[in-house]
Amino acid sequence: KHLSKIEGFSFSKIDDGYLKNSEIYPHMFVLLYDEKKLGIKRDIFLRLLNSEGITSGSGYQRPMYLNPIFTKKIAYGSKGYPWTCYDINTKQYYKKGLCPISEDLLYKKFIFFYQIAHSSTISDMKDIINAIFKILKNKKQINNFFRKKNKKFINQGRILN
C-alpha cells in the first residue's frame, strides 16, 4: 500500500480468478524499478537497501541462455554434445540480445526482496518501507556522493542518518 504511492515502482498483479483456485505462498517480493522516474540508478539503490539491512538484489546474474553451457555449447564433454549430435541439425545460437525484454527486466528493472516469507512480520515490512523512503528522501545527496566516484562507500552498516 505504501510503496504503490511511489511513481517509479510497479508491482505484479495476480488475477482474481487465479486466487480463487489456488493458494499463494510468497517466498520473495518482486517489484519493477524505473530508474528514470526514481532518479537513482538501480544498482546504487540496491547497495543502499542492503546497507540498511534490507536483503535485496537484482535476481540472477544472467539469463539462463547466456550460461556457458549454451553460449559455448558444452553441455557434455568438450565436443559440443548435444548440439553436434548426428541426428540434431540445429544452427541455434545463444547470445546477448536474444530475449531483449527478459534482459531489460533482469539488468535494469527487477528488484527482489529475499526476506519476504512466512516468518516476516509487520515490523519487517515497515523496515523495508522506511529504508526505501529514507533512500528516496536523500536521493540528491546520494547522487552527488556517487557522481564524485566516491570510493569510500560503506558496504556494511548504515550510511544515511
Side-chain angles (χ1 to χ4, degrees), residues 134-149:
K134 184 178 184 180
I135 292 167
L136 294 176
K137 178 182 160 197
N138 291 286
K139 71 180 168 184
K140 185 175 180 181
Q141 291 170 272
I142 291 164
N143 285 327
N144 286 337
F145 179 84
F146 284 99
R147 199 171 289 121
K148 294 175 185 172
K149 296 188 173 148

Side-chain angles (χ1 to χ4, degrees), residues 68-138:
I69 191 172
F70 297 105
T71 59
K72 295 180 180 180
K73 296 184 178 181
I74 52 168
Y76 299 102
S78 61
K79 299 199 182 342
Y81 183 83
W83 293 274
T84 57
C85 189
Y86 69 91
D87 61 344
I88 297 175
N89 187 10
T90 181
K91 296 192 191 295
Q92 181 62 46
Y93 63 93
Y94 303 93
K95 65 178 185 174
K96 197 167 185 172
L98 185 63
C99 299
I101 294 171
S102 296
E103 291 172 26
D104 184 56
L105 288 169
L106 182 62
Y107 296 136
K108 296 179 182 174
K109 295 182 178 176
F110 274 149
I111 290 187
F112 293 84
F113 294 92
Y114 300 111
Q115 74 276 23
I116 307 298
H118 291 291
S119 61
S120 297
T121 65
I122 297 296
S123 177
D124 294 332
M125 301 303 110
K126 287 180 180 178
D127 287 345
I128 294 169
I129 292 164
N130 290 337
I132 289 171
F133 279 106
K134 184 178 184 180
I135 292 167
L136 294 176
K137 178 182 160 197
N138 291 286

